[in-house]
Amino acid sequence: MSAEEYRHPDYPSISASLAEAGAKFPEFLEKNFARILKRVELSWGQQEAPSYINSLFLGTDTSRTERRGFPAEAMTELMLLAQVHQRFFPVVDTNPYDPFSGASALMPIAQANRARPPEAVEFESPATSKPDTPNEPAAIAGTGAGSAEDNVGANDLALMPVNTPPAEKRRVNGQIDWPLIHTLNELFDYAKRQRSGENLYDLQDKPVGEILMHYGAIDERTLRVVRNMQKKPEHKNQPIGEILVEIGIIKQDELSRALHVQAGVLMVDLLSIVIPAETLKLIPSTKAREKQVVPIGSYHDTLYLAVADPFTFGDRAFFAFLTGMKIVLVFAPQHEIINRLNIYGVGKSAHEAKEEFRNLTKKTLDIAPVKAAADELSYTDISENDSTIITLVNQMISNAIEAGASDIHIELFQDNTSSNIRFRRDGCMEHFSSFPSGYHNAVISRIKIMASLDISEKRRPQDGKISLSMPNGQKVDLRVATIPAMRGTEFVTIRILASGEPKPLTEMGMSERDMNLFRKLFQHPYGLILVCGPTGSGKTTTLHSVLKELNTDERKIWTAEDPVEIVQQNLCQVQINSKIGMTFATVLRSFLRADPDIIMIGEMRDQETAKVALEASMTGHLVLSTLHTNSAAETVARLLDLDIDPYNLSDALLVILAQRLARKLCPACARREEASLHDLENLANEYHQSGYPHPPTDAERDAIIQRWHQAYGVNDKLYLLHPVGCKSCNGGYKGRIGLYELLEATPPMRNLIRHKSAAVDYLAAGMNDGMRTLKQDGIEKVIAGLTDMIQVRSACI
C-alpha cells in the first residue's frame, strides 16, 4: 500500500508514512489513546515526535504521565511509530538509554518528502473565529488563496524561517515571561499610555495564535497544524486557543493570559506590588472581600481594580458609585486576590476597628474622639469595667470564634501608638485589627478579670481560663496566658478551646494501616502509649479521641492535665496546680491508689514523671501521655536521656505516635492539575529518602509511582491540587489534617531499646515493619488531593 492509497483524514502525516512502510495503522491507539496520537501527529517529521514517544517509555518528558500502566497493544504500536519515524526521519541521538536512537545523519529533505507526500498536511488561511482573525501576518498565515505556501509539505515546515525568537529566550526559569506589572510606577506608565489612546501591548488586537507564538507557548508549525485541524468537523469554528488547550499543548492559564493581552487588559503581580494605604481605604474591607476585588492604585480620577475575570465582572458601576472614580479592571489570578485580601484580616480592618472603638468611647463616656495618635496615650481614665472595653473584648473574642481562629494575640510593641490584635487560623498568624495603645492596659485588665487572674500583678506571667456560652448555645473555653514584657507592658495570648465531644478517630486522617494498628494496641490492658510532637500539633486531641473509645462503664479512667482542655463525661479529670504542689508526678502517685484502669498524663516534662508513668504501665495500667519530640524514633532516645531504665522501657512500651498538623486544601475551590512525570519522580525521590539514607533506585521509584497510580489514579492519571481561594476559605485552605508516624514496639525494636541504640536504628527497624514517616504520610495526602507539598514541608522535615 502506498501513501496515495491510504491517508487517514485525522492523522494524514502518520498514515502516509505507515502506508509507504507497509505498516498497519495504530487502531488501538486511535481508539483508546487519541490524545497521544494527536500529539505525535502534530510533531511528526521532527525530533519532538520520537522524543515524546521516548518519554512515554523512559519518563524523559516532564509534562506527561501516560506511559504508566500502558497495555501491551499500545506499547507495541508506539514502538512501531518510533521505528517508522526513525526510518524516514533519522536523527543522531547520543542518549545511550534511548532504544529508538540512531547513528545515521539527517536524510536529505527530498528523501524525507518522498516518505511524506506534500499533500499529506494541508494549510489554511486564518480561521474566522474570534481568537484568530484575518489579521494574521503573511509570514505566519500564508499569503492567502493561490499562495505557494498553501501546498508546502509538513517536513518543509520545519525548515521555514521563524520570525520570532526561540521560545526558551522568552521564558524565565521555564515560565512564560508575560508582561506583568510589578510596581506602581509601571502601573502609572501604562495609565499614561492608556489615557493617550495608545495600545498597552505591541500585540494588542492580534490573533491569539500569534500572541501565544510570540511568548513561546507554541511554535509556528504547531499553529499551522492546529489551523488545519479547524477544518475538521469535530473542530469546526472552534477557536485555536481552545483546541490547543484540549490537546494539551498549552494550559488554560496561558490561554487566559493571551486573551488578556489581545484585549489590552493589564495583568498585575498582585503579591509583589506595594499598595498604598490610602488606596485600600477607598473600598471597605467587607465589600472588597464580598466582591473579591483588590484596589491596587489610583491615577488622577481612575481607580485600578484587580479582579479574577475582567471579562465577566459585573460590579464596575457599583464601585464607580462607591468611590466616585472611574474604574479600570486589571487581571490577577484568583488565589493571589484571596491571599492579598487575607493580609488585611478576616474581620474589620485596623482603621475600621479603631474608628468603631473611638465611636464607642464617645458614646459611652461622652468625650471627644482622640485627635492625634500622641494624645491616645493620655487617656488613663478608661477602666477595665467601662462598657467600651467590655464591648471591645467581647467583640474581639466573638469575631475570633466566628473566623475559626485557634488563638488571639494582643501585643503592644515599643513606641507603637496602636495595640495589635492578631489571630492564628489553621496554624498561620494574620493581622485582624488594632486599637489605640492608650487602652491597652484596660483591655488586658478586663481579660484578667474574666480569667480570674490578679490584675495588680504585672511582673510575673499568669495563666487562667474563661468559660463562655455563645448566643447559639455553643460552649467555648478560653485559656489565657499573660506575659510581662519591656516597660511594664503585658502581652496576652488566648487559646480558644471548643468544649464538647472529642473528634472520632475515624476523622483524624490516619491511614488504614495506622488506624487498625493503633486501635489494636490501645486495647491492651496495660502498657505505655506515647503521642509526640511540638506544641499545637494536636497531641491532646488525639489522646482524648482514644479515651472516647476506651470510655466505657467497665473502665476507670483518670487524667492529669495542665490545663484541662477537653472535658468528657465519666472521666476523672484533674487540673495540675504546681503552686500548691500538685505536679504531674504527685498526682500520678495518687492515681495509683485510686484503682484506675487507664491513666492519661498531659505531658512527660521531667524524669520523675517519666519514671512514675513507666512504673504505672508495668503494674497493670494502660498509660497514655505526650512528649515534645520531633519524631517517633527520637522519642525513645529522649526517654533514655531521662535516665529511664532501658529494660523496663522495652517491656512496657506499646507504640509511639508522632504527629503534625498541615493546612487542608479547600475542596470548594482547589485547582486540579495533572501531575507531570517530573513532579511524580521528584515526589517519589523525596518519599523514599524520608525513610532511607540513600536515594531510590529506578525500580524503587517506579514501584512507588505505580502504587500511587493504583491507590489514587483516575483513568491511570494522577492529579495534584493547588490552592486558589474563595469566600468560604482562607487563601485556598480550610481546616487542618493530621500527618502521622506510627512506630510499634516489635521484638526487634525492644531489642534495640535494651541496647540503647541510636535513633536511626529505631527508624530503620520501623521502616522494615511497614512504618510510614511523617513526610511520607504527608506526600500520600498530597497525592490524594488533601493538601500540598508546601504545607507538608512546612510541617515536617
Side-chain angles (χ1 to χ4, degrees):
M1 182 183 294
S2 66
E4 287 74 16
E5 293 173 348
Y6 177 70
R7 190 182 311 120
H8 195 291
D10 294 328
Y11 308 99
S13 305
I14 293 176
S15 59
S17 296
L18 290 173
E20 182 157 335
K24 183 181 178 182
F25 185 80
E27 297 177 351
F28 187 86
L29 283 176
E30 180 189 20
K31 180 180 179 181
N32 299 283
F33 298 94
R35 185 175 180 181
I36 292 178
L37 198 58
K38 286 182 180 180
R39 177 75 176 269
V40 176
E41 167 70 22
L42 282 173
S43 57
W44 191 261
Q46 298 192 33
Q47 176 58 25
E48 183 183 348
S51 298
Y52 175 66
I53 297 175
N54 291 357
S55 73
L56 302 177
F57 290 93
L58 304 176
T60 56
D61 188 342
T62 61
S63 63
R64 304 251 62 88
T65 58
E66 293 95 330
R67 70 184 184 95
R68 302 292 176 183
F70 266 162
E73 295 91 335
M75 300 287 280
T76 301
E77 292 181 352
L78 282 171
M79 187 172 295
L80 171 65
L81 289 176
Q83 292 170 347
V84 171
H85 193 281
Q86 177 62 25
R87 171 183 172 183
F88 294 121
F89 309 101
V91 294
V92 177
D93 195 326
T94 58
N95 183 359
Y97 302 103
D98 185 354
F100 310 121
S101 62
S104 60
L106 285 171
M107 295 175 64
I109 280 297
Q111 186 177 354
N113 284 340
R114 180 162 45 83
R116 296 178 63 207
E119 57 272 19
V121 177
E122 298 177 354
F123 300 97
E124 62 180 340
S125 57
T128 56
S129 55
K130 179 182 178 181
D132 276 77
T133 64
N135 292 330
E136 192 77 37
I140 298 174
T143 56
S147 169
E149 289 188 5
D150 289 340
N151 294 320
V152 70
N155 191 69
D156 293 327
L157 184 59
L159 301 180
M160 290 180 61
V162 179
N163 295 331
T164 54
E168 60 269 15
K169 292 185 179 179
R170 297 187 298 276
R171 292 177 179 260
V172 178
N173 297 326
Q175 300 295 321
I176 295 178
D177 187 20
W178 295 105
L180 301 181
I181 293 175
H182 302 278
T183 66
L184 283 179
N185 288 335
E186 293 180 21
L187 175 66
F188 296 151
D189 288 342
Y190 276 103
K192 293 177 183 176
R193 293 173 56 186
Q194 194 175 46
R195 280 179 170 264
S196 64
E198 181 182 351
N199 279 353
L200 299 179
Y201 306 110
D202 293 337
L203 293 177
Q204 188 169 327
D205 300 326
K206 297 294 183 181
V208 167
E210 180 181 345
I211 295 171
L212 289 168
M213 190 175 69
H214 173 81
Y215 287 104
I218 60 174
D219 58 20
E220 183 177 355
R221 183 184 183 280
T222 300
L223 180 60
R224 290 177 176 273
V225 175
V226 174
R227 284 210 183 100
N228 184 64
M229 293 175 64
Q230 284 184 307
K231 288 184 176 181
K232 308 302 179 186
E234 63 270 24
H235 297 297
K236 192 67 174 177
N237 297 325
Q238 185 178 5
I240 277 182
E242 291 183 9
I243 298 176
L244 289 168
V245 172
E246 180 181 319
I247 63 179
I249 300 297
I250 65 172
K251 298 178 180 179
Q252 182 63 45
D253 178 69
E254 294 171 346
L255 173 59
S256 176
R257 291 188 181 275
L259 290 172
H260 285 105
V261 171
Q262 183 189 53
V265 177
L266 294 177
M267 297 183 290
V268 299
D269 183 358
L270 194 56
L271 298 182
S272 66
I273 194 168
V274 178
I275 305 176
E278 56 270 18
T279 300
L280 294 171
K281 293 177 183 178
L282 294 173
I283 296 178
S285 59
T286 52
K287 286 299 178 185
R289 278 184 285 273
E290 178 186 344
K291 303 293 186 179
Q292 298 289 285
V293 300
V294 176
I296 61 171
S298 58
Y299 184 78
H300 296 308
D301 60 343
T302 302
L303 177 64
Y304 289 83
L305 209 59
V307 298
D309 190 354
F311 298 125
T312 61
F313 186 76
D315 292 310
R316 187 199 298 258
F318 169 80
F319 285 106
F321 176 79
L322 180 68
T323 61
M325 303 178 72
K326 178 183 176 182
I327 301 297
V328 172
L329 301 178
V330 301
F331 167 77
Q334 179 74 17
H335 69 276
E336 291 188 10
I337 291 176
I338 296 298
N339 290 337
R340 192 74 201 224
L341 287 172
N342 283 327
I343 293 175
Y344 301 103
V346 296
K348 294 180 174 61
S349 68
H351 175 75
E352 292 167 334
K354 183 180 292 187
E355 288 300 319
E356 181 180 51
F357 190 87
R358 288 173 174 172
N359 291 336
L360 287 171
T361 303
K362 181 179 179 180
K363 284 193 292 185
T364 305
L365 303 179
D366 195 25
I367 61 174
V370 180
K371 294 182 179 180
D375 296 333
E376 293 173 359
L377 300 177
S378 65
Y379 280 88
T380 58
D381 297 331
I382 303 295
S383 80
E384 61 275 4
N385 294 318
D386 286 324
S387 60
T388 306
I389 301 299
I390 295 172
T391 302
L392 174 65
V393 172
N394 291 344
Q395 184 176 344
M396 173 184 64
I397 294 173
S398 177
N399 286 344
I401 295 171
E402 291 174 359
S406 61
D407 299 89
I408 305 171
H409 297 258
I410 304 175
E411 307 153 327
L412 175 59
F413 297 103
Q414 184 177 355
D415 298 330
N416 277 17
T417 58
S418 296
S419 294
N420 294 326
I421 301 173
R422 293 199 290 169
F423 291 169
R424 185 183 293 277
R425 289 204 302 169
D426 295 336
C428 292
M429 294 288 288
E430 56 188 41
H431 182 266
F432 164 68
S433 185
S434 62
F435 57 87
S437 59
Y439 307 129
H440 182 84
N441 291 337
V443 169
I444 300 301
S445 295
R446 173 59 189 168
I447 295 172
K448 282 184 174 182
I449 291 174
M450 296 173 69
S452 300
L453 300 179
D454 186 358
I455 63 173
S456 64
E457 179 56 73
K458 299 183 179 181
R459 298 172 299 174
R460 292 185 301 177
Q462 297 187 69
D463 296 322
K465 189 173 182 179
I466 304 172
S467 295
L468 297 176
S469 295
M470 301 301 292
N472 59 3
Q474 179 186 10
K475 301 291 185 181
V476 178
D477 291 332
L478 309 176
R479 189 176 71 191
V480 178
T482 67
I483 300 177
M486 295 175 58
R487 300 181 181 179
T489 303
E490 288 183 284
F491 285 26
V492 171
T493 300
I494 303 174
R495 170 67 59 87
I496 300 173
L497 309 169
S499 300
E501 291 293 317
K503 256 187 173 181
L505 272 176
T506 53
E507 298 179 9
M508 303 292 285
M510 285 189 185
S511 66
E512 184 177 358
R513 178 258 180 192
D514 289 351
M515 175 64 69
N516 293 337
L517 180 58
F518 195 41
R519 272 192 166 136
K520 172 187 172 183
L521 292 172
F522 68 63
Q523 294 293 341
H524 277 56
Y526 58 86
L528 179 62
I529 295 177
L530 297 174
V531 179
C532 62
T535 301
S537 59
K539 302 184 297 296
T540 302
T541 301
T542 298
L543 287 181
H544 271 279
S545 297
V546 172
L547 292 180
K548 181 180 180 181
E549 295 201 7
L550 297 175
N551 188 6
T552 63
D553 292 338
E554 294 78 24
R555 295 186 176 100
K556 175 74 170 182
I557 303 176
W558 283 90
T559 74
E561 304 171 69
D562 185 22
V564 177
E565 298 183 358
I566 301 175
V567 178
Q568 292 195 56
Q569 294 293 328
N570 301 325
L571 292 189
C572 302
Q573 297 179 261
V574 176
Q575 170 73 53
I576 296 300
N577 189 347
S578 57
K579 295 179 181 178
I580 60 174
M582 287 185 62
T583 63
F584 279 109
T586 303
V587 172
L588 186 53
R589 287 192 180 94
S590 301
F591 285 172
L592 297 179
R593 296 188 292 271
D595 189 30
D597 295 302
I598 300 171
I599 298 172
M600 195 269 272
I601 308 169
E603 183 184 348
M604 285 187 180
R605 296 179 178 175
D606 50 50
Q607 183 187 71
E608 184 181 10
T609 304
K611 286 187 174 181
V612 176
L614 187 59
E615 291 172 5
S617 66
M618 297 178 65
T619 55
H621 307 93
L622 181 65
V623 178
L624 300 89
S625 185
T626 70
L627 205 64
H628 285 161
T629 53
N630 292 324
S631 68
E634 292 177 17
T635 302
V636 179
R638 168 66 176 153
L639 288 172
L640 294 175
D641 288 343
L642 291 175
D643 200 24
I644 298 298
D645 185 87
Y647 287 90
N648 290 342
L649 180 60
S650 65
D651 291 340
L653 186 64
L654 292 176
V655 65
I656 301 173
L657 177 69
Q659 72 177 66
R660 299 288 190 277
L661 292 177
R663 301 177 76 189
K664 193 175 180 180
L665 288 166
C666 174
C669 65
R671 174 173 55 87
R672 192 176 79 156
E673 183 176 310
E674 183 180 348
S676 69
L677 178 60
H678 179 70
D679 289 337
L680 291 176
E681 290 182 340
N682 284 343
L683 287 176
N685 290 337
E686 193 168 354
Y687 183 95
H688 185 275
Q689 289 185 284
S690 173
Y692 299 96
H694 58 83
T697 63
D698 290 343
E700 290 172 332
R701 183 175 58 244
D702 287 349
I704 293 171
I705 297 177
Q706 185 62 35
R707 182 175 61 78
W708 288 342
H709 273 277
Q710 294 172 354
Y712 308 109
V714 179
N715 297 326
D716 200 38
K717 296 178 182 179
L718 291 173
Y719 295 88
L720 299 178
L721 270 63
H722 304 278
V724 175
C726 63
K727 295 180 181 180
S728 64
C729 69
N730 181 23
Y733 300 95
K734 188 175 184 179
R736 289 192 284 181
I737 190 169
L739 311 181
Y740 300 97
E741 178 179 296
L742 192 69
L743 179 62
E744 181 186 7
T746 58
M749 183 69 64
R750 298 182 191 277
N751 186 54
L752 291 173
I753 295 174
R754 294 188 188 101
H755 290 84
K756 294 186 175 182
S757 301
V760 292
D761 297 325
Y762 304 129
L763 174 61
M767 296 299 295
N768 290 335
D769 292 330
M771 183 187 78
R772 182 186 290 166
T773 67
L774 285 165
K775 178 171 281 190
Q776 287 178 340
D777 190 49
I779 293 175
E780 292 277 345
K781 288 178 169 65
V782 169
I783 301 296
L786 299 176
T787 185
D788 58 22
M789 281 307 299
I790 295 176
Q791 301 304 318
V792 172
R793 294 188 182 109
S794 66
C796 53
I797 57 175

